[in-house]
């Protein structure tokens, strides 16, 4: 780029754009500006939940800077440039480095709870007992990434930077875990280094880690996948709620197929010669339909329940299909808007270039008008695409019952 800018004299109206791998690298670096701070912030939060202490969480978190130094030095030593796979390698490295720190600090805390109050004795006992686990964790990871670091097969350009970062970073991170981390632990536990406001420190660290991510995506919007749209519609659709209620109603009614009418109780006294003889009679009468009638009613209730269940399944399937179609239409229209916006910008540059060439006398007025007409047509297509996208978005909103 520097060579072309200094050594190439372009005519008015012409410019150079850089694409291909260079464009992909710039786009991926922008994503890493979001992914790396997010990963660091999540690591710190999980450390705090694990250790229940901001001081110890920051103590373990200190393994990350020295691990980063080892990864950068390893890349420089092998002459490898920073790439996206190297950035992913740093994220992997951060997790492994923190893991070794947790192994050591957790054992220090166990010794403290077991009654070992002397900090120096905690450190001596803890490092002696946890030397093998820390070295084993680092060694297995380094040996596991070694074939990728020396690979020359297809895809080696992606594997080598990632493995190089992990191996180099683990060397320095292990030294930190075994040497520097116990020293810092001693300083903190003996109150030679205190945090006046651990909550404020944690808050500022989280804000500092997440600030680049928020700055990078300040004006970005939430992404709605097709599956998210389907689940949202299934939760909020009134038609589906109606079908579910009908299925429940038919299921309850099916249980009332064998419903007997109320029994009738009769009582009477016999009279002889104008006076009661004292003879009393009681009777109970219960009307029953033909037994086959109850069987048919039960079968009819089951059939209605099954029909309501099938209607519920059909409603759910139709809703999924409609939401999928609406979501795909919406995505298509949004991509069309982006395409027409890009075309409009290109035709705007083309129209400006035509004006410059017309002023320089390289083209006539007809070609200038043609460029202007093409630009205006691109604007009209762009506006029409935005209208179509708005219609598709409204239809999707109606199906999802949300704005």
């Amino acid at each position: 780029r520097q060579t072309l800018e200094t050594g190439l004299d372009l005519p008015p109206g012409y410019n150079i754009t850089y694409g291909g791998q260079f464009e992909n690298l710039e786009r991926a670096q922008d994503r890493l500006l979001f992914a790396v701070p997010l990963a660091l912030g999540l690591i710190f939060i999980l450390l705090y939940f694990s250790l229940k202490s901001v001081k110890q969480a920051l103590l373990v978190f200190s393994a990350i800077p020295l691990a980063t130094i080892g990864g950068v030095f390893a890349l420089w030593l092998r002459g490898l440039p920073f790439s996206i796979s190297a950035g992913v390698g740093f994220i992997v490295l951060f997790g492994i480095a923190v893991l070794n720190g947790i192994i050591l600090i957790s054992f220090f805390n166990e010794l403290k709870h077991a009654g070992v109050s002397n900090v120096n004795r905690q450190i001596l006992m803890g490092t002696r007992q946890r030397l093998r686990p820390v070295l084993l964790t680092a060694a297995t990871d380094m040996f596991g990434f070694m074939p990728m670091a020396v690979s020359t097969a297809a895809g080696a350009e992606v594997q080598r930077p990632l493995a190089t970062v992990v191996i180099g970073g683990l060397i320095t991170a292990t030294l930190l875990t075994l040497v520097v981390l116990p020293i810092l632990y001693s300083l903190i536990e003996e109150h030679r280094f205190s945090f006046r406001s651990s909550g404020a420190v944690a808050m500022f660290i989280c804000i500092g880690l997440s600030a680049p991510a928020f700055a990078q995506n300040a004006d970005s919007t939430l992404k709605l996948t097709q599956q998210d749209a389907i689940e949202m519609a299934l939760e909020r659709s009134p038609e589906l709620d109606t079908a579910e209620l009908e299925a429940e109603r038919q299921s309850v009614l099916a249980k009332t197929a064998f419903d007997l009418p109320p029994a009738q109780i009769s009582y009477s006294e016999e009279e002889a010669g104008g006076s009661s003889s004292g003879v009393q009679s009681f009777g109970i009468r219960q009307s029953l339909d033909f037994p086959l009638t109850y069987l048919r009613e039960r079968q009819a209730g089951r059939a209605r329940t099954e029909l309501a269940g099938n209607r519920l399944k059909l409603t759910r399937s139709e809703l999924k299909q409609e939401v999928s179609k609406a979501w795909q239409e919406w995505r298509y229209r949004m991509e069309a808007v982006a395409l027409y916006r890009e075309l409009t910008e290109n035709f705007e540059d083309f129209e400006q270039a035509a004006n410059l060439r017309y002023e320089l006398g390289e083209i006539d007025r007809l070609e200038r008008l043609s460029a202007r007409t093409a630009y205006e047509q691109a604007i009209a297509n762009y506006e029409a695409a935005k209208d179509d996208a708005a219609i598709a978005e409204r239809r999707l909103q109606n199906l999802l019952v949300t704005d």
Side-chain angles (χ1 to χ4, degrees):
R1 175 186 286 175
Q2 293 176 355
T3 302
L4 291 177
E5 289 178 351
T6 56
L8 181 62
D9 188 13
L10 292 174
Y14 291 85
N15 60 341
I16 296 177
T17 58
Y18 299 85
Q21 292 297 328
F22 179 78
E23 183 182 11
N24 294 335
L25 176 63
E26 288 187 327
R27 186 184 300 112
Q29 284 177 345
D30 293 338
R31 294 177 181 175
L32 283 180
L33 289 177
F34 169 76
V36 174
L38 179 62
L40 293 176
L42 291 176
I43 288 175
F44 180 80
I45 292 173
L46 293 176
L47 282 175
Y48 175 75
F49 288 148
S50 176
L51 300 174
K52 301 295 188 299
S53 171
V54 176
K55 295 188 296 184
Q56 292 189 355
L58 291 174
L59 182 63
V60 177
F61 201 79
S62 62
I64 291 179
L66 197 56
T68 305
I69 295 174
V72 173
F73 182 78
L75 287 177
W76 173 80
L77 192 63
R78 297 196 63 186
L80 297 175
F82 179 83
S83 61
I84 304 308
S85 59
V88 176
F90 277 109
I91 297 178
V92 176
L93 174 62
F94 296 159
I96 301 175
V98 167
L99 176 63
N100 285 334
I102 292 179
I103 292 175
L104 201 57
I105 297 301
S106 298
F107 193 73
F108 288 166
N109 293 334
E110 291 179 6
L111 292 176
K112 184 177 180 179
H113 294 317
V116 181
S117 58
N118 186 275
V119 177
N120 292 331
R121 185 166 180 81
Q122 292 176 13
I123 294 174
L124 291 176
M125 294 177 62
T127 50
R128 184 183 299 112
Q129 294 293 331
R130 286 295 176 262
L131 176 63
R132 287 183 180 179
V134 171
L135 292 179
L136 182 62
T137 303
T140 52
D141 291 325
M142 286 190 289
F143 288 135
F145 281 96
M146 190 64 68
M148 296 173 60
V150 299
S151 174
T152 57
E157 66 276 8
V158 177
Q159 299 176 5
R160 281 200 305 268
L162 189 151
T164 301
V165 167
V166 175
I167 293 175
L170 282 178
I171 295 176
T172 54
T174 304
L175 293 177
L176 169 73
T177 303
L178 296 176
V179 179
V180 181
L181 196 61
I183 296 175
L184 296 177
Y185 179 83
S186 175
L187 294 175
I188 292 176
E189 291 298 320
E190 292 179 357
H191 304 290
R192 300 175 189 173
F193 181 80
S194 62
F195 295 85
R196 294 185 179 180
S197 179
S198 58
V201 172
M203 180 182 68
F204 282 117
I205 288 179
C206 291
I207 293 176
L209 292 174
S210 59
F214 287 118
Q216 179 68 20
N217 293 271
D219 56 351
S220 62
T221 56
L222 295 176
K223 292 180 174 59
L224 179 71
T225 64
Q226 182 175 351
Q227 186 61 33
D228 293 337
I230 293 175
E231 293 177 357
M232 188 181 299
L234 293 178
E235 292 177 358
R236 304 182 178 185
S237 174
E239 292 82 2
L240 188 60
D241 293 340
T242 303
E244 290 178 352
L245 292 176
E246 178 64 20
E248 293 178 3
R249 189 177 75 90
Q250 294 298 335
S251 177
V252 173
L253 290 177
K255 299 177 182 179
T256 62
F258 189 75
D259 189 12
L260 296 178
Q264 297 179 356
I265 301 177
S266 61
Y267 166 81
S268 63
E269 292 183 358
E270 295 183 2
E271 295 183 359
S275 62
S276 175
S277 63
V279 179
Q280 300 177 348
S281 63
F282 295 90
I284 298 177
R285 184 174 62 182
Q286 176 69 58
S287 60
L288 295 173
D289 293 332
F290 189 67
L292 192 59
T293 303
Y294 298 107
L295 178 62
R296 294 290 182 249
E297 289 181 355
R298 180 175 293 274
Q299 291 177 351
R302 291 177 179 176
R304 286 191 294 267
T305 303
E306 184 178 358
L307 179 59
N310 292 333
R311 287 176 178 173
L312 175 60
K313 294 179 181 178
L314 180 60
T315 303
R316 183 180 287 109
S317 299
E318 290 178 345
L319 180 61
K320 289 182 179 180
Q321 184 178 9
E322 291 181 5
V323 172
S324 299
K325 292 173 61 178
W327 183 87
Q328 292 171 6
E329 178 70 16
W330 170 66
R331 282 296 306 273
Y332 168 75
R333 296 300 179 184
M334 295 298 293
E335 293 292 340
V337 169
L339 176 61
Y340 280 115
R341 181 174 61 248
E342 184 178 357
L343 289 176
T344 302
E345 295 173 354
N346 292 336
F347 276 109
E348 182 180 7
D349 295 337
F350 176 68
E351 195 258 346
Q352 293 176 358
N355 291 334
L356 290 175
R357 294 183 63 190
Y358 176 76
E359 294 175 359
L360 296 175
E362 296 182 4
I363 60 175
D364 55 14
R365 186 176 180 181
L366 180 60
E367 294 183 7
R368 180 186 179 185
L369 292 176
S370 298
R372 179 63 184 177
T373 303
Y375 174 51
E376 293 177 351
Q377 181 63 39
I379 294 178
N381 293 335
Y382 176 50
E383 295 297 330
K386 289 197 297 184
D387 293 339
D388 293 338
I391 295 174
E393 182 175 348
R394 176 57 60 186
R395 180 170 181 267
L396 183 61
Q397 289 174 346
N398 292 336
L399 289 173
L400 302 185
V401 195
T402 179
D403 57 354

